[in-house]
Coordinates of all heavy atoms in Angstrom, one line a residue:
M1 N 0.8 -1.2 0.0 CA 0.0 0.0 -0.1 C 0.9 1.2 0.0 O 1.9 1.3 0.7 CB -0.9 0.0 1.2 CG -1.9 1.2 1.2 SD -2.9 1.0 2.8 CE -3.8 2.5 2.6
K2 N 0.5 2.3 -0.8 CA 1.2 3.5 -0.9 C 1.1 4.2 0.5 O 0.0 4.4 1.0 CB 0.7 4.3 -2.0 CG 1.5 5.6 -2.4 CD 0.9 6.2 -3.6 CE 1.8 7.4 -4.0 NZ 1.3 8.0 -5.2
A3 N 2.2 4.8 0.9 CA 2.2 5.5 2.2 C 1.4 6.8 2.0 O 1.6 7.5 0.9 CB 3.6 5.8 2.6
I4 N 0.6 7.2 2.9 CA -0.1 8.5 2.8 C 0.8 9.4 3.7 O 0.9 9.4 4.8 CB -1.5 8.3 3.5 CG1 -2.3 7.1 2.9 CG2 -2.2 9.6 3.5 CD1 -2.7 7.4 1.5
N5 N 1.4 10.4 2.9 CA 2.1 11.5 3.5 C 1.5 12.8 3.0 O 0.6 12.9 2.1 CB 3.5 11.3 3.3 CG 3.9 11.2 1.9 OD1 3.3 11.8 1.0 ND2 4.9 10.4 1.5
K6 N 2.1 13.9 3.3 CA 1.6 15.2 3.0 C 1.8 15.4 1.5 O 0.8 16.1 0.9 CB 2.4 16.3 3.8 CG 1.6 17.7 3.8 CD 2.3 18.7 4.6 CE 2.5 18.3 6.0 NZ 3.1 19.4 6.9
E7 N 2.8 14.9 0.9 CA 2.9 15.1 -0.6 C 1.9 14.4 -1.3 O 1.3 15.0 -2.3 CB 4.4 14.6 -1.0 CG 5.5 15.4 -0.5 CD 5.8 15.3 1.0 OE1 5.6 14.2 1.4 OE2 6.3 16.2 1.6
V8 N 1.5 13.3 -0.9 CA 0.4 12.5 -1.6 C -0.9 13.3 -1.4 O -1.7 13.3 -2.4 CB 0.3 11.0 -0.9 CG1 -0.9 10.3 -1.5 CG2 1.5 10.2 -1.4
L9 N -1.2 13.7 -0.2 CA -2.4 14.5 0.1 C -2.4 15.8 -0.8 O -3.5 16.1 -1.4 CB -2.5 14.8 1.6 CG -2.7 13.6 2.4 CD1 -2.6 14.1 3.9 CD2 -4.0 12.9 2.2
K10 N -1.3 16.5 -0.9 CA -1.3 17.7 -1.7 C -1.5 17.4 -3.2 O -2.2 18.1 -3.9 CB 0.0 18.5 -1.5 CG 0.1 19.1 -0.1 CD 1.3 19.9 0.0 CE 1.4 20.6 1.3 NZ 2.7 21.5 1.4
D11 N -0.9 16.3 -3.7 CA -1.1 15.9 -5.0 C -2.6 15.5 -5.3 O -3.2 15.9 -6.3 CB -0.3 14.7 -5.4 CG -0.5 14.2 -6.8 OD1 -0.3 15.0 -7.7 OD2 -0.8 13.0 -7.0
A12 N -3.2 14.8 -4.4 CA -4.7 14.4 -4.6 C -5.5 15.7 -4.5 O -6.4 15.8 -5.3 CB -5.1 13.5 -3.4
A13 N -5.2 16.6 -3.6 CA -6.0 17.8 -3.6 C -5.8 18.6 -4.8 O -6.8 19.3 -5.4 CB -5.5 18.7 -2.3
S14 N -4.6 18.7 -5.4 CA -4.4 19.4 -6.6 C -5.1 18.8 -7.7 O -5.8 19.5 -8.6 CB -2.8 19.3 -6.9 OG -2.6 19.9 -8.2
R15 N -5.2 17.5 -7.8 CA -6.0 16.8 -8.9 C -7.5 17.1 -8.7 O -8.2 17.0 -9.8 CB -5.7 15.3 -8.8 CG -4.3 14.9 -9.3 CD -4.1 13.5 -9.0 NE -2.6 13.1 -9.2 CZ -2.2 12.4 -10.3 NH1 -3.2 12.0 -11.1 NH2 -1.0 12.1 -10.4
L16 N -7.9 17.2 -7.5 CA -9.3 17.5 -7.2 C -9.6 19.0 -7.3 O -10.7 19.5 -7.1 CB -9.7 16.9 -5.9 CG -9.7 15.5 -5.8 CD1 -9.9 15.0 -4.3 CD2 -10.8 14.9 -6.7
M17 N -8.6 19.8 -7.6 CA -8.7 21.3 -7.8 C -9.1 22.0 -6.5 O -10.0 22.8 -6.5 CB -9.5 21.7 -8.9 CG -9.0 21.2 -10.2 SD -9.9 21.8 -11.6 CE -10.9 20.5 -12.0
F18 N -8.5 21.7 -5.3 CA -8.7 22.4 -4.1 C -7.4 22.4 -3.2 O -6.6 21.6 -3.6 CB -9.9 22.0 -3.3 CG -9.7 20.6 -2.6 CD1 -9.3 20.6 -1.2 CD2 -10.0 19.4 -3.1 CE1 -9.0 19.4 -0.6 CE2 -9.8 18.2 -2.4 CZ -9.3 18.3 -1.1
D19 N -7.3 23.3 -2.3 CA -6.1 23.4 -1.5 C -6.5 23.5 -0.1 O -7.7 24.0 0.2 CB -5.2 24.4 -2.0 CG -3.8 24.3 -1.5 OD1 -3.5 23.2 -1.0 OD2 -3.0 25.3 -1.6
M20 N -5.7 23.2 0.8 CA -5.9 23.3 2.3 C -4.7 24.1 2.9 O -3.6 24.1 2.3 CB -6.1 22.0 2.9 CG -7.3 21.2 2.4 SD -7.6 19.7 3.2 CE -6.2 18.7 2.9
S21 N -4.8 24.4 4.1 CA -3.7 25.0 4.9 C -2.8 23.9 5.2 O -3.1 22.8 5.4 CB -4.3 25.8 6.0 OG -4.8 24.9 7.0
E22 N -1.6 24.3 5.7 CA -0.6 23.3 6.2 C -1.1 22.5 7.4 O -1.0 21.4 7.6 CB 0.7 23.9 6.5 CG 1.6 24.3 5.3 CD 1.9 23.1 4.4 OE1 2.4 22.1 5.0 OE2 1.9 23.3 3.2
E23 N -1.9 23.3 8.3 CA -2.4 22.7 9.5 C -3.5 21.7 9.1 O -3.5 20.6 9.7 CB -3.1 23.8 10.3 CG -3.6 23.2 11.6 CD -4.2 24.4 12.4 OE1 -3.4 25.3 12.9 OE2 -5.4 24.4 12.6
Q24 N -4.3 22.0 8.1 CA -5.2 20.9 7.7 C -4.6 19.7 7.1 O -5.1 18.6 7.2 CB -6.3 21.7 6.6 CG -7.1 22.7 7.3 CD -7.9 23.4 6.2 OE1 -7.4 23.9 5.1 NE2 -9.2 23.7 6.5
Y25 N -3.6 19.9 6.3 CA -2.9 18.7 5.8 C -2.3 17.9 6.8 O -2.3 16.7 6.8 CB -1.7 19.2 4.8 CG -2.3 19.5 3.4 CD1 -2.0 20.9 2.9 CD2 -2.8 18.6 2.6 CE1 -2.5 21.2 1.7 CE2 -3.2 19.0 1.4 CZ -3.1 20.3 0.9 OH -3.5 20.6 -0.3
D26 N -1.7 18.5 7.9 CA -1.2 17.8 9.1 C -2.3 17.0 9.8 O -2.1 15.8 10.1 CB -0.5 18.7 10.1 CG 0.7 19.4 9.5 OD1 1.4 18.8 8.7 OD2 1.1 20.5 10.1
T27 N -3.4 17.6 10.0 CA -4.6 17.0 10.6 C -5.0 15.7 9.7 O -5.3 14.7 10.3 CB -5.8 17.9 10.8 OG1 -5.3 19.1 11.6 CG2 -7.0 17.3 11.4
L28 N -5.2 16.0 8.4 CA -5.6 14.9 7.5 C -4.6 13.7 7.5 O -5.0 12.6 7.5 CB -5.8 15.5 6.1 CG -6.5 14.5 5.1 CD1 -7.9 14.2 5.7 CD2 -6.6 15.2 3.8
E29 N -3.3 14.0 7.5 CA -2.3 13.0 7.6 C -2.4 12.2 8.8 O -2.3 10.9 8.9 CB -0.9 13.6 7.4 CG 0.2 12.7 7.3 CD 1.5 13.3 7.2 OE1 1.7 14.6 7.4 OE2 2.5 12.7 6.8
K30 N -2.7 12.8 9.9 CA -2.9 12.1 11.2 C -4.0 11.3 11.2 O -4.0 10.1 11.7 CB -2.9 13.1 12.4 CG -1.6 13.9 12.7 CD -1.8 14.9 13.8 CE -0.6 15.7 13.9 NZ -0.7 16.8 14.8
E31 N -5.1 11.8 10.6 CA -6.4 11.0 10.6 C -6.2 9.7 9.7 O -6.7 8.7 10.0 CB -7.6 11.8 10.1 CG -7.9 12.8 11.1 CD -9.0 13.8 10.5 OE1 -9.4 13.6 9.4 OE2 -9.5 14.7 11.3
F32 N -5.4 9.9 8.5 CA -5.2 8.7 7.7 C -4.3 7.7 8.4 O -4.6 6.4 8.3 CB -4.5 9.1 6.4 CG -5.5 9.4 5.3 CD1 -5.8 10.7 4.8 CD2 -6.1 8.3 4.6 CE1 -6.7 10.9 3.8 CE2 -6.9 8.5 3.6 CZ -7.2 9.7 3.2
D33 N -3.4 8.1 9.2 CA -2.6 7.3 10.0 C -3.4 6.4 11.0 O -3.2 5.2 11.1 CB -1.4 8.1 10.8 CG -0.5 7.2 11.5 OD1 0.0 6.1 10.8 OD2 -0.2 7.4 12.7
I34 N -4.3 7.1 11.7 CA -5.2 6.4 12.5 C -6.1 5.3 11.8 O -6.3 4.3 12.3 CB -6.2 7.4 13.3 CG1 -5.3 8.2 14.3 CG2 -7.3 6.7 14.0 CD1 -6.0 9.4 14.8
M35 N -6.7 5.8 10.7 CA -7.5 4.8 9.9 C -6.7 3.6 9.4 O -7.2 2.5 9.4 CB -8.1 5.6 8.6 CG -9.2 6.5 9.0 SD -10.2 7.1 7.6 CE -9.0 8.2 6.8
I36 N -5.5 3.8 9.0 CA -4.7 2.7 8.5 C -4.4 1.7 9.7 O -4.4 0.5 9.5 CB -3.4 3.2 7.8 CG1 -3.7 3.9 6.5 CG2 -2.3 2.1 7.6 CD1 -2.7 4.7 5.8
K37 N -4.1 2.3 10.8 CA -3.9 1.4 12.0 C -5.1 0.6 12.3 O -5.0 -0.6 12.7 CB -3.3 2.3 13.2 CG -2.0 2.8 13.0 CD -1.6 3.6 14.2 CE -0.1 4.2 14.0 NZ 0.2 5.2 15.1
Q38 N -6.3 1.3 12.2 CA -7.5 0.6 12.5 C -7.8 -0.6 11.5 O -8.2 -1.6 11.9 CB -8.7 1.6 12.6 CG -8.6 2.5 13.8 CD -9.7 3.6 13.8 OE1 -10.2 3.9 12.7 NE2 -9.9 4.2 14.9
M39 N -7.5 -0.3 10.2 CA -7.7 -1.3 9.2 C -6.8 -2.4 9.5 O -7.2 -3.6 9.1 CB -7.5 -0.7 7.9 CG -8.5 0.4 7.5 SD -10.3 -0.2 7.6 CE -10.3 -1.3 6.2
K40 N -5.5 -2.2 9.8 CA -4.6 -3.3 10.1 C -5.2 -4.2 11.3 O -5.0 -5.4 11.3 CB -3.2 -2.7 10.4 CG -2.5 -2.3 9.3 CD -1.1 -1.8 9.6 CE -0.3 -1.2 8.4 NZ 1.0 -0.6 8.7
L41 N -5.7 -3.5 12.3 CA -6.3 -4.3 13.5 C -7.4 -5.1 13.0 O -7.6 -6.2 13.4 CB -6.7 -3.3 14.6 CG -5.6 -2.6 15.4 CD1 -6.3 -1.6 16.3 CD2 -4.9 -3.7 16.2
I42 N -8.4 -4.5 12.2 CA -9.4 -5.4 11.6 C -8.9 -6.5 10.8 O -9.4 -7.6 10.9 CB -10.3 -4.4 10.8 CG1 -11.0 -3.4 11.7 CG2 -11.3 -5.3 10.0 CD1 -11.9 -2.4 10.9
G43 N -7.8 -6.3 10.1 CA -7.3 -7.4 9.3 C -6.7 -8.5 10.1 O -6.5 -9.7 9.7
E44 N -6.3 -8.2 11.3 CA -5.8 -9.2 12.3 C -6.8 -10.1 13.0 O -6.4 -11.1 13.7 CB -4.8 -8.5 13.2 CG -3.6 -7.9 12.7 CD -2.8 -7.1 13.6 OE1 -3.1 -7.1 14.9 OE2 -1.9 -6.6 13.2
I45 N -8.0 -9.8 12.8 CA -9.1 -10.6 13.5 C -9.2 -11.9 12.8 O -9.2 -12.1 11.6 CB -10.5 -9.9 13.3 CG1 -10.5 -8.5 14.1 CG2 -11.6 -10.7 13.8 CD1 -11.7 -7.6 13.8
P46 N -9.1 -13.0 13.6 CA -9.1 -14.3 13.1 C -10.3 -14.6 12.3 O -11.5 -14.4 12.8 CB -9.0 -15.3 14.3 CG -8.5 -14.4 15.4 CD -9.0 -13.0 15.1
G47 N -10.2 -15.2 11.1 CA -11.3 -15.6 10.4 C -12.0 -14.5 9.5 O -13.0 -14.6 8.9
V48 N -11.5 -13.3 9.6 CA -12.1 -12.1 9.0 C -12.2 -12.2 7.4 O -13.1 -11.8 6.8 CB -11.5 -10.7 9.4 CG1 -10.1 -10.6 8.6 CG2 -12.4 -9.6 9.0
D49 N -11.3 -13.0 6.8 CA -11.3 -13.2 5.4 C -12.3 -14.2 5.0 O -12.7 -14.2 3.8 CB -10.0 -13.7 4.9 CG -8.9 -12.6 5.1 OD1 -9.1 -11.4 5.0 OD2 -7.7 -13.1 5.3
E50 N -12.8 -15.0 5.8 CA -14.0 -15.9 5.5 C -15.3 -15.4 5.6 O -16.3 -16.0 5.2 CB -13.8 -17.2 6.4 CG -12.6 -18.1 6.0 CD -11.4 -17.6 6.8 OE1 -11.4 -17.3 7.9 OE2 -10.3 -17.6 6.1
V51 N -15.5 -14.2 6.2 CA -16.8 -13.6 6.3 C -17.2 -12.9 5.1 O -16.4 -12.2 4.5 CB -16.7 -12.6 7.5 CG1 -18.1 -11.9 7.7 CG2 -16.3 -13.2 8.8
E52 N -18.4 -13.2 4.7 CA -19.0 -12.5 3.4 C -19.3 -11.0 3.8 O -20.0 -10.7 4.7 CB -20.3 -13.2 3.0 CG -20.9 -12.7 1.8 CD -22.1 -13.5 1.3 OE1 -22.3 -14.6 1.8 OE2 -22.8 -12.9 0.5
P53 N -18.8 -10.1 2.9 CA -19.1 -8.8 3.2 C -20.6 -8.4 3.1 O -21.3 -9.1 2.4 CB -18.3 -8.0 2.0 CG -17.4 -9.0 1.4 CD -18.0 -10.4 1.7
M54 N -20.9 -7.4 3.9 CA -22.3 -7.0 3.9 C -22.6 -6.0 2.8 O -21.8 -5.2 2.4 CB -22.7 -6.3 5.2 CG -22.6 -7.2 6.5 SD -22.9 -6.2 8.0 CE -24.5 -5.7 7.8
T55 N -23.7 -6.2 2.1 CA -24.1 -5.2 1.1 C -25.1 -4.2 1.6 O -25.2 -3.1 1.1 CB -24.6 -5.9 -0.1 OG1 -25.8 -6.7 0.3 CG2 -23.6 -6.8 -0.8
F56 N -25.8 -4.5 2.7 CA -26.8 -3.6 3.3 C -26.8 -4.0 4.8 O -26.9 -5.2 5.1 CB -28.1 -3.8 2.7 CG -29.0 -2.7 2.9 CD1 -28.8 -1.4 2.4 CD2 -30.1 -2.9 3.8 CE1 -29.7 -0.4 2.6 CE2 -30.9 -1.8 4.1 CZ -30.8 -0.6 3.5
P57 N -26.8 -3.1 5.6 CA -26.7 -3.4 7.1 C -28.0 -3.9 7.7 O -27.9 -4.4 8.8 CB -26.3 -2.1 7.8 CG -26.8 -1.0 6.8 CD -26.7 -1.6 5.5
F58 N -29.0 -3.9 7.0 CA -30.4 -4.4 7.5 C -30.9 -5.5 6.7 O -30.7 -5.5 5.5 CB -31.4 -3.3 7.7 CG -30.9 -2.1 8.5 CD1 -30.5 -1.0 7.8 CD2 -30.6 -2.2 9.8 CE1 -30.1 0.2 8.4 CE2 -30.2 -1.0 10.4 CZ -29.9 0.1 9.8
D59 N -31.7 -6.4 7.3 CA -32.4 -7.4 6.6 C -33.5 -6.8 5.8 O -34.4 -6.1 6.3 CB -33.0 -8.5 7.6 CG -33.6 -9.6 6.8 OD1 -33.4 -9.8 5.6 OD2 -34.5 -10.3 7.5
V60 N -33.5 -6.9 4.5 CA -34.4 -6.3 3.7 C -35.6 -7.2 3.2 O -35.7 -7.6 2.1 CB -33.7 -5.7 2.3 CG1 -34.7 -4.8 1.5 CG2 -32.5 -4.9 2.8
A61 N -36.4 -7.5 4.2 CA -37.6 -8.4 4.0 C -38.7 -7.4 3.5 O -39.0 -6.4 4.0 CB -37.9 -9.0 5.2
T62 N -39.4 -7.9 2.4 CA -40.4 -7.0 1.8 C -41.8 -7.6 2.0 O -42.7 -7.2 1.4 CB -40.2 -6.9 0.2 OG1 -40.2 -8.3 -0.3 CG2 -39.0 -6.2 -0.1
D63 N -41.9 -8.5 3.0 CA -43.2 -9.1 3.3 C -44.2 -8.2 3.9 O -45.3 -8.4 4.1 CB -43.1 -10.4 4.1 CG -42.3 -10.2 5.4 OD1 -41.7 -9.2 5.6 OD2 -42.4 -11.2 6.3
Y64 N -43.7 -7.0 4.5 CA -44.6 -6.1 5.2 C -45.2 -5.1 4.2 O -46.1 -4.3 4.6 CB -43.8 -5.4 6.3 CG -42.6 -4.6 5.8 CD1 -42.8 -3.3 5.3 CD2 -41.3 -5.1 5.7 CE1 -41.7 -2.5 4.8 CE2 -40.3 -4.4 5.2 CZ -40.4 -3.1 4.8 OH -39.4 -2.4 4.2
L65 N -44.7 -5.1 3.0 CA -45.3 -4.2 2.0 C -46.6 -4.7 1.5 O -46.9 -5.8 1.3 CB -44.3 -4.0 0.8 CG -43.0 -3.4 1.1 CD1 -42.1 -3.3 -0.1 CD2 -43.1 -2.0 1.7
R66 N -47.6 -3.8 1.2 CA -48.8 -4.1 0.6 C -48.7 -4.5 -0.8 O -47.7 -4.2 -1.5 CB -49.8 -2.9 0.8 CG -49.4 -1.7 -0.1 CD -50.4 -0.7 -0.1 NE -50.1 0.4 -0.9 CZ -49.9 0.6 -2.1 NH1 -50.0 -0.5 -3.0 NH2 -49.4 1.7 -2.7
E67 N -49.6 -5.3 -1.3 CA -49.6 -5.7 -2.7 C -50.2 -4.5 -3.5 O -51.0 -3.7 -3.0 CB -50.6 -6.9 -2.9 CG -50.1 -8.2 -2.4 CD -48.9 -8.6 -3.2 OE1 -48.8 -8.4 -4.4 OE2 -47.8 -9.1 -2.5
D68 N -49.6 -4.2 -4.7 CA -50.2 -3.2 -5.4 C -51.5 -3.6 -6.0 O -51.7 -4.7 -6.5 CB -49.2 -2.9 -6.6 CG -48.0 -2.2 -6.2 OD1 -48.1 -1.5 -5.2 OD2 -46.9 -2.2 -7.0
E69 N -52.5 -2.6 -6.0 CA -53.8 -2.9 -6.5 C -53.9 -2.0 -7.7 O -54.1 -0.8 -7.6 CB -54.9 -2.6 -5.5 CG -54.7 -3.7 -4.4 CD -55.8 -3.4 -3.3 OE1 -56.7 -2.5 -3.5 OE2 -55.6 -3.9 -2.2
V70 N -53.9 -2.5 -9.0 CA -54.0 -1.7 -10.2 C -55.6 -1.5 -10.5 O -56.3 -2.5 -10.6 CB -53.3 -2.4 -11.4 CG1 -53.5 -1.5 -12.6 CG2 -51.9 -2.6 -11.0
E71 N -56.0 -0.2 -10.6 CA -57.3 0.1 -10.9 C -57.4 0.5 -12.3 O -56.5 0.3 -13.1 CB -57.9 1.0 -9.9 CG -58.0 0.5 -8.5 CD -58.5 1.5 -7.5 OE1 -58.9 2.6 -8.0 OE2 -58.4 1.2 -6.2
E72 N -58.4 1.2 -12.7 CA -58.6 1.6 -14.1 C -57.4 2.6 -14.5 O -57.1 3.5 -13.6 CB -59.9 2.5 -14.2 CG -60.1 3.0 -15.6 CD -61.5 3.7 -15.6 OE1 -62.3 3.5 -14.8 OE2 -61.7 4.5 -16.7
T73 N -56.8 2.4 -15.6 CA -55.7 3.3 -16.1 C -56.0 3.9 -17.3 O -56.9 3.4 -18.1 CB -54.4 2.4 -16.2 OG1 -54.7 1.4 -17.1 CG2 -53.9 1.8 -14.9
L74 N -55.3 4.9 -17.7 CA -55.5 5.6 -19.0 C -54.7 4.9 -20.1 O -53.6 4.3 -19.9 CB -55.0 7.1 -18.9 CG -55.8 7.9 -17.9 CD1 -55.1 9.3 -17.8 CD2 -57.2 8.0 -18.2
S75 N -55.3 4.9 -21.3 CA -54.5 4.3 -22.4 C -53.4 5.3 -22.8 O -53.4 6.5 -22.5 CB -55.5 4.1 -23.5 OG -55.9 5.3 -24.1
K76 N -52.5 4.8 -23.6 CA -51.3 5.7 -24.0 C -51.9 6.9 -24.9 O -51.4 8.0 -24.7 CB -50.3 4.9 -24.8 CG -49.1 5.6 -25.3 CD -48.2 4.7 -26.1 CE -47.0 5.5 -26.6 NZ -46.1 4.6 -27.3
D77 N -52.9 6.6 -25.6 CA -53.4 7.7 -26.5 C -54.0 8.7 -25.7 O -54.0 10.0 -26.0 CB -54.4 7.1 -27.5 CG -53.7 6.2 -28.6 OD1 -52.5 6.5 -28.9 OD2 -54.3 5.4 -29.1
E78 N -54.8 8.3 -24.6 CA -55.4 9.3 -23.8 C -54.5 10.2 -23.0 O -54.7 11.3 -22.8 CB -56.3 8.5 -22.7 CG -57.6 7.9 -23.3 CD -58.3 7.1 -22.3 OE1 -57.7 6.2 -21.6 OE2 -59.5 7.3 -22.2
V79 N -53.3 9.6 -22.6 CA -52.3 10.3 -22.0 C -51.7 11.3 -22.9 O -51.5 12.5 -22.5 CB -51.2 9.4 -21.3 CG1 -50.1 10.2 -20.7 CG2 -51.9 8.5 -20.2
L80 N -51.3 10.8 -24.1 CA -50.6 11.6 -25.1 C -51.4 12.8 -25.6 O -50.9 13.9 -25.9 CB -50.1 10.8 -26.2 CG -49.0 9.9 -25.9 CD1 -48.6 9.1 -27.1 CD2 -47.8 10.5 -25.3
K81 N -52.8 12.7 -25.6 CA -53.5 13.8 -26.1 C -53.6 14.9 -25.1 O -53.9 16.1 -25.5 CB -55.0 13.3 -26.3 CG -55.9 13.1 -25.2 CD -57.4 12.7 -25.5 CE -58.2 12.6 -24.3 NZ -59.5 12.1 -24.6
N82 N -53.2 14.8 -23.9 CA -53.0 15.9 -22.9 C -51.7 16.6 -22.9 O -51.5 17.6 -22.3 CB -53.4 15.4 -21.4 CG -54.8 15.0 -21.3 OD1 -55.7 15.7 -21.8 ND2 -55.0 13.9 -20.7
A83 N -50.7 16.0 -23.7 CA -49.4 16.5 -23.7 C -49.3 17.6 -24.7 O -49.9 17.7 -25.7 CB -48.4 15.5 -24.1
K84 N -48.4 18.6 -24.3 CA -48.2 19.8 -25.2 C -47.6 19.5 -26.5 O -47.9 19.9 -27.6 CB -47.5 20.9 -24.5 CG -47.3 22.2 -25.2 CD -46.6 23.2 -24.3 CE -46.3 24.5 -25.1 NZ -45.5 25.4 -24.3
D85 N -46.5 18.6 -26.4 CA -45.7 18.3 -27.6 C -45.4 16.7 -27.5 O -44.8 16.3 -26.6 CB -44.4 19.1 -27.5 CG -43.6 19.2 -28.8 OD1 -44.2 18.6 -29.8 OD2 -42.5 19.7 -28.8
V86 N -45.8 16.1 -28.6 CA -45.5 14.6 -28.6 C -44.7 14.4 -30.0 O -44.9 14.8 -31.1 CB -46.9 13.9 -28.8 CG1 -46.7 12.4 -29.0 CG2 -47.8 14.1 -27.6
V87 N -43.7 13.6 -29.7 CA -42.8 13.1 -30.9 C -42.7 11.6 -30.8 O -42.3 11.0 -29.8 CB -41.5 13.8 -30.8 CG1 -40.5 13.3 -31.9 CG2 -41.6 15.3 -30.8
D88 N -42.9 10.9 -31.9 CA -42.8 9.4 -32.0 C -43.5 8.8 -30.9 O -42.9 7.8 -30.3 CB -41.4 9.0 -32.1 CG -40.7 9.6 -33.4 OD1 -41.4 9.6 -34.4 OD2 -39.5 9.8 -33.3
G89 N -44.7 9.2 -30.5 CA -45.4 8.4 -29.4 C -44.8 8.7 -27.9 O -45.2 8.1 -27.1
Q90 N -44.0 9.8 -27.8 CA -43.4 10.1 -26.5 C -43.6 11.6 -26.3 O -43.7 12.5 -27.2 CB -42.0 9.8 -26.5 CG -41.7 8.3 -26.6 CD -40.2 8.0 -26.5 OE1 -39.3 8.9 -26.5 NE2 -39.8 6.7 -26.5
I91 N -43.7 12.0 -25.0 CA -43.9 13.4 -24.6 C -42.6 14.1 -24.7 O -41.6 13.5 -24.2 CB -44.5 13.5 -23.2 CG1 -45.9 12.8 -23.2 CG2 -44.6 15.0 -22.8 CD1 -46.4 12.8 -21.8
K92 N -42.4 15.2 -25.5 CA -41.3 15.9 -25.6 C -41.1 16.9 -24.5 O -42.1 17.7 -24.3 CB -41.2 16.6 -27.0 CG -39.8 17.3 -27.2 CD -39.8 18.0 -28.6 CE -38.4 18.7 -28.7 NZ -38.4 19.3 -30.0
L93 N -40.0 16.9 -23.8 CA -39.9 17.8 -22.7 C -38.7 18.9 -23.1 O -37.9 18.6 -24.0 CB -39.3 17.1 -21.5 CG -40.2 15.9 -20.9 CD1 -39.6 15.2 -19.7 CD2 -41.6 16.6 -20.4
P94 N -38.7 20.0 -22.4 CA -37.8 21.0 -22.7 C -36.4 20.6 -22.4 O -36.2 19.8 -21.3 CB -38.2 22.3 -22.0 CG -39.2 21.7 -20.9 CD -39.7 20.5 -21.5
K95 N -35.5 21.0 -23.1 CA -34.1 20.7 -22.7 C -33.6 21.4 -21.4 O -33.9 22.6 -21.2 CB -33.1 21.2 -23.8 CG -31.7 20.8 -23.7 CD -30.9 21.2 -24.9 CE -29.5 20.8 -24.8 NZ -28.7 21.1 -26.0
V96 N -33.1 20.6 -20.5 CA -32.7 21.2 -19.1 C -31.2 21.3 -18.9 O -30.8 22.0 -18.0 CB -33.3 20.4 -18.0 CG1 -34.8 20.4 -18.0 CG2 -32.9 18.9 -18.1
V97 N -30.4 20.8 -19.8 CA -28.9 20.9 -19.8 C -28.5 21.7 -20.9 O -28.8 21.3 -22.1 CB -28.3 19.5 -19.6 CG1 -26.8 19.6 -19.6 CG2 -28.8 18.7 -18.5
G98 N -27.7 22.7 -20.7 CA -27.2 23.5 -21.8 C -26.0 23.0 -22.5 O -25.4 22.2 -22.4

């Protein structure tokens, strides 16, 4: 693993187009040192490599959700006749990105 030092942090900040004071770089360097030590401690836990990583911290059971009840719906033609501008069977929206 590449060592995290002030030069690496300054290079990363430069690439992200921001800068910090020397005191902030010192603080960040100390915080990275603490995190790396904690990660090493976690890596030393027996059997940690055999544990399947969590993808979500809670059990995602969906049995408490209600069933969807579909009632009367509009046809595509009925929906499109209310649209201001229709192109190829789709509603044309104004451009939002310049």
Side-chain angles (χ1 to χ4, degrees):
M1 181 177 178
K2 187 175 184 179
I4 305 294
N5 55 34
K6 203 180 294 187
E7 291 76 32
V8 171
L9 295 173
K10 285 183 178 183
D11 179 57
S14 172
R15 291 171 189 251
L16 294 169
M17 293 188 264
F18 74 92
D19 198 14
M20 300 184 299
S21 69
E22 288 297 317
E23 182 179 293
Q24 290 172 317
Y25 282 116
D26 290 336
T27 301
L28 190 57
E29 187 177 15
K30 290 175 189 173
E31 289 177 2
F32 266 104
D33 185 46
I34 291 168
M35 285 190 293
I36 290 170
K37 287 179 183 176
Q38 290 173 340
M39 295 305 292
K40 286 181 182 177
L41 285 173
I42 290 172
E44 293 173 5
I45 296 173
V48 75
D49 292 330
E50 288 84 41
V51 177
E52 184 177 340
M54 293 176 61
T55 56
F56 196 74
F58 306 107
D59 184 22
V60 189
T62 57
D63 58 346
Y64 60 89
L65 298 176
R66 64 168 173 74
E67 289 293 322
D68 286 338
E69 296 176 12
V70 179
E71 296 178 4
E72 183 180 341
T73 60
L74 298 174
S75 70
K76 182 177 178 180
D77 292 332
E78 289 175 308
V79 172
L80 292 178
K81 77 177 180 183
N82 293 318
K84 181 179 179 181
D85 196 4
V86 177
V87 176
D88 296 327
Q90 297 180 353
I91 300 172
K92 182 178 179 183
L93 299 174
K95 187 175 182 181
V96 292
V97 178

